[in-house]
Amino acid sequence: MNYATIKNCDIANGPGVRVSLFVSGCTHKCKGCFNEIAWDFDYGEPFTQDTIDHILDLLEPSYVKGLTLLGGEPFEPQNQGAVLELLRQMKKKYPDKTVWAFSGYLFDRDMLGGRIGEGTVLQEYLSYLDVLVDGPFVESKKDLTLRFRGSSNQRIIDVKQSLRQGAVVLWQDWQGNERGLK
Ligand code: SF4
């Protein structure tokens, strides 16, 4: 996997101050995409153990609430293994920091429905997530007033609750009471 950018003080992509990883490669090709340059899987730098170590260092300060995965597409089958290794090491070192991810795939149809990736890898990957913002960017549904979303079709999903209940539980349901996420 390659990655495009790492931001160490991101306050736009999840609650609190976060470290954000923008991976390379995306097959969705949404019209009006904010990051078209990252569609290319070869864009940017190779993602290595040194990259993981760097991200772990950036996550260390107590004011950093967690990690956010964006792209590109962090759920493309060929990106899942590298991201999973990062998540394993991150949760081992910082079990209380949260993980947010943004994907053009749908949580229920594509991820739980087995349309992308290999079952056990994706299952473990999802087990580390707190929140997933899912669905492609749809230009006709673009809404600048939305929190953490580009278009109104996208959903902010509480992954742990959804996996527990076997149904999509929206994170918005928890607004004003964002337990464990701040
Ligand atoms: S999923 Fe995201 S990165 Fe991929 S084309 Fe759509 S908006 Fe761009």
Side-chain angles (χ1 to χ4, degrees):
M1 181 176 85
N2 274 19
Y3 71 98
T5 316
I6 295 169
K7 290 187 181 171
N8 67 340
C9 238
D10 190 350
I11 54 165
N13 293 302
V17 176
R18 315 186 68 78
V19 174
S20 294
L21 169 66
F22 292 75
V23 308
S24 295
C26 180
T27 56
H28 299 297
K29 299 186 169 44
C30 308
K31 193 171 169 231
C33 167
F34 73 107
N35 195 15
E36 213 171 297
I37 201 165
W39 291 0
D40 180 358
F41 283 85
D42 293 326
Y43 179 73
E45 303 292 321
F47 187 82
T48 65
Q49 182 59 46
D50 284 347
T51 319
I52 293 179
D53 292 341
H54 177 55
I55 291 172
L56 295 179
D57 286 347
L58 294 176
L59 283 164
E60 187 165 11
S62 58
Y63 62 80
V64 176
K65 300 304 177 198
L67 173 72
T68 296
L69 306 164
L70 315 93
E73 172 57 80
F75 284 87
E76 292 294 357
Q78 55 269 62
N79 286 343
Q80 288 180 18
V83 176
L84 175 57
E85 188 50 37
L86 166 64
L87 293 177
R88 280 184 185 140
Q89 294 186 36
M90 178 210 160
K91 291 309 274 190
K92 192 169 176 194
K93 193 160 184 189
Y94 307 112
D96 296 331
K97 297 202 189 238
T98 60
V99 181
W100 276 53
F102 289 73
S103 175
Y105 289 110
L106 295 178
F107 176 72
D108 36 5
R109 187 194 68 185
D110 300 322
M111 298 180 188
L112 299 187
R115 287 197 186 184
I116 51 164
E118 199 253 306
T120 52
V121 171
L122 188 55
Q123 223 174 355
E124 185 182 352
Y125 188 146
L126 289 173
S127 75
Y128 295 126
L129 294 193
D130 293 283
V131 169
L132 173 74
V133 182
D134 83 342
F137 172 69
V138 177
E139 205 169 32
S140 60
K141 294 183 176 173
K142 179 178 176 179
D143 184 344
L144 295 175
T145 66
L146 295 171
R147 194 181 181 206
F148 304 133
R149 294 181 291 160
S151 55
S152 59
N153 61 296
Q154 295 169 320
R155 305 176 294 183
I156 307 179
I157 295 171
D158 183 324
V159 177
K160 294 203 182 310
Q161 285 295 328
S162 298
L163 290 175
R164 244 175 248 136
Q165 297 186 23
V168 172
V169 178
L170 296 181
W171 184 71
Q172 290 103 307
D173 294 343
W174 296 47
Q175 266 185 354
N177 187 21
E178 298 168 358
R179 281 178 286 181
L181 295 173
K182 287 190 170 175

